[in-house]
């Protein structure tokens, strides 16, 4: 069965320090994995995706994530946090073909940035 | 290209009424997915449409329905509204490419049921 677990509901870091948002998944097949960001009262924006190519995926706004099959993890990182990074982040796992899709969202991690 | 458009952005209804929400995907995208987002349940998948056919459905009661038109625009309908239906309803325009896909979300429709 497919599932995704975001290990922290809330992460708080100081501006300029590294960000780590943790995500573990389970999937019966080779999944696609995504990270989305949602700013207050906004829709979701795709940060990055993994689809069985390079295990280190670079996204927008300086974020990147590493797919580790042995650990079933897909943690999101950023070397230096900016105030504008404060938002809700969602890890998503999907088993999809062109005829059907099964998409599971994590419960979200709220990222706060301290000045 | 224009992004995903959802109308209306905000809606207030009373219990027992019905509501119809609209989503226009990105031009050229033939697939649309709908999600419900609430503080308690998070993001939950409602259904997905591809070329006017529903091909995937989440675990929601029959009061929630949808359809897709030939121009790929989609509507979702909720009948006999309940207080618990208050939520942000998000539509995603889905692009299939290279055996994978990407979802581009609209800003959502905030539904309040009183």
């Amino acid at each position: 069965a497919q599932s995704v677990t975001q290990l922290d509901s809330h992460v708080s870091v100081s501006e300029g320090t590294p960000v780590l948002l943790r995500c573990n998944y389970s999937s019966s097949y080779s999944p696609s994995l995504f990270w989305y960001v949602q700013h207050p009262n906004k829709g979701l924006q795709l940060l990055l995706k993994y689809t069985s190519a390079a295990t280190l995926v670079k996204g927008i706004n300086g974020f990147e994530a590493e797919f580790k099959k042995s650990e079933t993890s897909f943690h999101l990182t950023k070397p230096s946090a900016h105030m504008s990074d404060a938002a809700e982040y969602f890890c998503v796992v999907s088993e999809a073909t062109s005829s059907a899709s099964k998409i599971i969202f994590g419960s979200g991690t709220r990222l706060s940035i301290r000045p | 290209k224009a992004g995903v458009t959802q109308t209306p952005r905000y809606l207030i209804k009373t219990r027992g009424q019905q509501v119809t929400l609209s989503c226009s995907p990105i031009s050229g995208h033939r697939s649309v997915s709908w999600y419900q987002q609430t503080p308690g349940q998070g993001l939950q998948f409602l259904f997905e449409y591809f070329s006017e056919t529903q091909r995937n459905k989440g675990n929601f009661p029959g009061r929630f329905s949808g359809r897709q038109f030939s121009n790929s625009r989609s509507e979702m309908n909720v009948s006999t509204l309940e207080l618990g239906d208050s939520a942000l309803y998000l539509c995603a325009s889905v692009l299939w490419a290279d055996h994978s896909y990407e979802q581009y979300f609209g800003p959502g429709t905030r539904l309040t049921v009183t």
Side-chain angles (χ1 to χ4, degrees), chain A residues 32 34 36 38 41-46 49 51 90 92-94 96-103 105-107, chain B residues 9-10 33 35 37 42-43 45 48 50 55-56 88 90 96-97 99-108 110:
Chain A
S32 296
F34 306 79
Y36 285 85
Q38 185 178 32
N41 299 313
K42 301 283 189 182
L44 279 77
Q45 181 183 18
L46 178 65
K49 71 172 184 178
T51 54
F90 294 92
V92 180
V93 62
S94 169
T97 67
S98 58
S99 59
S101 58
K102 187 173 182 181
I103 303 161
F105 277 75
S107 55
Chain B
R9 292 292 311 280
Y10 303 91
S33 295
Y35 296 85
Q37 185 177 29
L43 269 158
F45 173 73
E48 179 192 10
F50 182 84
R55 64 178 188 181
N56 203 5
L88 180 66
L90 292 164
W96 290 93
H99 307 289
S100 181
Y101 72 97
E102 291 184 8
Q103 295 188 97
Y104 298 88
F105 284 83
R110 173 76 62 186

Side-chain angles (χ1 to χ4, degrees), chain A residues 49-77:
Chain A
K49 71 172 184 178
Y50 166 78
T51 54
S52 73
T55 56
L56 182 62
V57 182
K58 293 188 183 298
I60 62 171
N61 300 335
F63 284 94
E64 62 181 37
E66 185 172 7
F67 174 71
K68 292 187 177 180
K69 188 173 182 179
S70 60
E71 299 176 11
T72 61
S73 69
F74 190 59
H75 301 334
L76 182 70
T77 60

Side-chain angles (χ1 to χ4, degrees), chain A residues 7-36:
Chain A
L7 298 166
D8 307 292
S9 60
H10 182 213
V11 170
S12 180
V13 302
S14 297
E15 189 176 20
T17 64
V19 174
L20 170 63
L21 305 184
R22 299 182 294 166
C23 173
N24 284 84
Y25 72 94
S26 68
S27 177
S28 304
Y29 305 99
S30 296
S32 296
L33 295 160
F34 306 79
W35 276 99
Y36 285 85

Side-chain angles (χ1 to χ4, degrees), chain B residues 48-109:
Chain B
E48 179 192 10
Y49 286 88
F50 182 84
S51 294
E52 303 178 62
T53 300
Q54 186 185 92
R55 64 178 188 181
N56 203 5
K57 190 176 188 302
N59 189 27
F60 277 81
R63 300 185 298 107
F64 291 80
S65 63
R67 59 178 175 169
Q68 187 180 34
F69 302 94
S70 58
N71 62 358
S72 294
R73 188 177 71 86
S74 177
E75 289 181 347
M76 66 163 283
N77 184 276
V78 188
S79 62
T80 320
L81 283 165
E82 300 177 358
L83 294 178
D85 297 333
S86 295
L88 180 66
Y89 289 88
L90 292 164
C91 164
S93 178
V94 185
L95 173 66
W96 290 93
D98 299 330
H99 307 289
S100 181
Y101 72 97
E102 291 184 8
Q103 295 188 97
Y104 298 88
F105 284 83
T109 294

